[in-house]
Amino acid sequence: MNTMAILGTFVKFNLILTILTLCYFNAVASGYRIGVGRADCTGPPVEVVFMGYAQVSQKGHGLHLRQYSRAFIVDDNTKRVVFVSFDGAMIGYTVKRDVVTLLQKQYGKQYTLDNVVISGTHTHSTPGGFMMNLLYDLTTFGFVGETYRALIDGISNSIVNAHNNLQNGRIYIGETEVLEANINRSPSSYMFNPEEERSQYQYDTDKTLTQIRFVSEDNNVIGAINWFAVHPTSMNNTNHFVSSDNVGYAAILLEQHMNPKNLPGRGTFVGAFASANLGDVSPNIMGPKCALSGEKCDLVTSSCPAKHGQCFASGPGRDHFESTKIIATRLFEGASKILKESSGREISGNVNFVHQFVDMPAYRTTYFNPKKKKSENVRGCLPAMGYSFAAGTTDGPGAFDFTQGTTTDNPLWNAVRDFLAAPTQDDIKCQHPKPILLSTGRASFPYEWQPKVVSTQLLQIGDVILAAVPGEFTTMSGRRLRQSVRNAILQAGGDDVQVIVAGLSNMYSSYVATPEEYQAQRYEAASTIFGPHTLTIYIDQFQYLCQAMVKNETILSGPTPPFLDDKVISFQPVVLFDTTPSERKFGDVLRQPNKMYKTGDQVTVVFISGNPRNNLQHGKTYLTVEYQTANGDWKIVAVDSNWETKFVWKRTSFILGHSTTEVIWDIPDTADEGNYRIRHYGSARHIFGGFSQYEGTSDAFAVYKGGQQVALL
């Protein structure tokens, strides 16, 4: 071979090598390291008051759907971000702080307050007592350590699982419209927003379900986060079962669809339905009616005439279980449609994050007043709750004679307020037109009632921005924030982005209504604690974060929220001991099933049990429904997180420490014919200390599908 031929071959080789190298690096540049993880974070299912409706009487009596934490990690080989959605009412700052502390003991500074977002789904049917702000823990009789530890362990474990699952992959974003899944529960308040703004939108709630899906190198979908604006309040305030509600069940449906033949909480695919701008959005789409007469409620005050009952919203089902299932199914169908069609576009670009704590009452900014057509100086206020806060919402009415839309005060209630903590004239002026019912910013006994310092945070995944907000933004508040973040990114010199509002993230500071909605003083406005320009401040702050992130500027972390761990109090009784009746042992069956059932029937078995608080059975179950296979083995077909099961506990004698557990199984139409049994697992606390594990097993029973009956084997 001559010299020219050798040179030509060398040039060709290098050209091919260069092309392959460029292709390789381009492929890497457009991909990410991704990880998904899930963990059980179920709190005590009995004897603890639920967080959400603020009903002292709404204590847990059992379990319907377990709580799960679902974590998603994205890494571009330079920076890493984490998004967590967990089945809970909201997140307290100290929960996130302690989760990050646990992670740093294992991974150093890979995970910090700055690059981790933890978002609560806002279900109102899970145990409370984890907030460390008195107002939010008041109806749960203070701090509940069992709930707190369950959340920290479950959330941190989900992130660890995602970390251990890190792999090369790609990320896509898609959208679909989901109708008949939400309504605006304060439509009269929404109408206070400018007509020219409202005319830009077809609906008074957001109907778009936005999904980010995670795809592995071998083109398998390993996870998906879905954001849709709806309150998880299909289960109303009469419910006493721990439940993740509509969005939690939608996640179970999606995971079981993607993990066929797996029980809930099992399988490699992780799917979450996370909070968005849900502040004024209800799943009870039949709308509010007077409970006793069925007449429509007053639109402005959400009240009913005397003897017509309270104003309740409901639907679309016959009861709250059916309503939960229907709304969940509609959300699931929307999410699975995006997955099935692989719709949307691929996300590419850098990963980034920025976080800062903000002292809201000390914040000063400007606001363009559309009515006066000029800018004016505005400020934040000390936290305060208005009269309409006590009225509750159409999803869960309040007490006494309070009504929504109240803009005048009452001397009697003011006297009660002033006995607790009196607002100053400056507070009253700052919060106007809100009549202050609780001056929470002035109250400090026995510790802080509501936060003054809040968390603000942005996560960037390519051209998608997650705006992590520490509260419940109304529909229009969320729309304004999305638009302002997008504009701020562009003005700072960044590329165009798609913005997602990640609600109830990192800590909780109640609601955020627009300045116009604030004037109406319905529940959402009365619960907008930093005054009429709460949203104005958030928009200004997030615009600042956008500029800092685009320009890679280092910003101060801001004032740290106060340390309250040593101040919290608890009146939650502990479990003293468990015993059994004479000549009985734990796990004995008091009520056996019938010999035979058909699909659609309900099976009930009652066991002698200990208190479920003794062992929360994380990653396990309090019950199993088992099917006998052809070779005589027993196969688990349902656990306590399946929709068709319910776990009901009752203390039959407090003095003697006797308890029973009732296991209920609604036999699905899809159940195979054959023999079944039900088992119960638990722990008993000994009177002199220590625990013992026990289990109980029912007699076998047959299930048939109508017509021909199946005899026991």
Side-chain angles (χ1 to χ4, degrees), residues 623-664:
L623 66 92
T624 57
V625 179
E626 300 178 2
Y627 171 76
Q628 191 172 33
T629 63
N631 62 8
D633 294 334
W634 291 96
K635 175 187 175 183
I636 297 174
V637 296
V639 291
D640 61 17
S641 50
N642 279 83
W643 177 265
E644 60 267 24
T645 63
K646 294 183 182 71
F647 172 80
V648 189
W649 179 82
K650 183 179 181 180
R651 179 68 88 183
T652 55
S653 173
F654 178 81
I655 296 175
L656 298 177
H658 294 173
S659 304
T660 61
T661 283
E662 183 179 27
V663 176
I664 300 172

Side-chain angles (χ1 to χ4, degrees), residues 22 83 140 402 407 417 654:
L22 287 172
F83 180 81
T140 61
F402 291 100
T407 56
R417 172 200 69 193
F654 178 81

Side-chain angles (χ1 to χ4, degrees), residues 588-640:
D588 280 358
V589 180
L590 292 179
R591 177 180 171 184
Q592 292 284 2
N594 298 336
K595 292 292 184 181
M596 199 164 290
Y597 298 88
K598 66 179 183 296
T599 53
D601 286 347
Q602 186 177 88
V603 182
T604 300
V605 182
V606 179
F607 299 87
I608 293 176
S609 70
N611 193 311
R613 289 169 56 192
N614 295 330
N615 186 336
L616 301 182
Q617 299 289 102
H618 281 178
K620 300 178 183 177
T621 180
Y622 289 112
L623 66 92
T624 57
V625 179
E626 300 178 2
Y627 171 76
Q628 191 172 33
T629 63
N631 62 8
D633 294 334
W634 291 96
K635 175 187 175 183
I636 297 174
V637 296
V639 291
D640 61 17

Side-chain angles (χ1 to χ4, degrees), residues 22 79-80 103 123 157 186 193 287 305 348 350 404 459 472 483 507 522 569 585 638 655 674:
L22 287 172
K79 291 185 177 180
R80 177 175 296 184
L103 293 172
T123 171
N157 286 339
S186 288
N193 293 305
S348 62
N350 296 332
Q404 295 199 59
L459 298 187
E472 302 177 57
Q483 190 61 48
M507 62 188 304
R522 281 179 59 83
I569 56 176
K585 64 180 185 299
I655 296 175

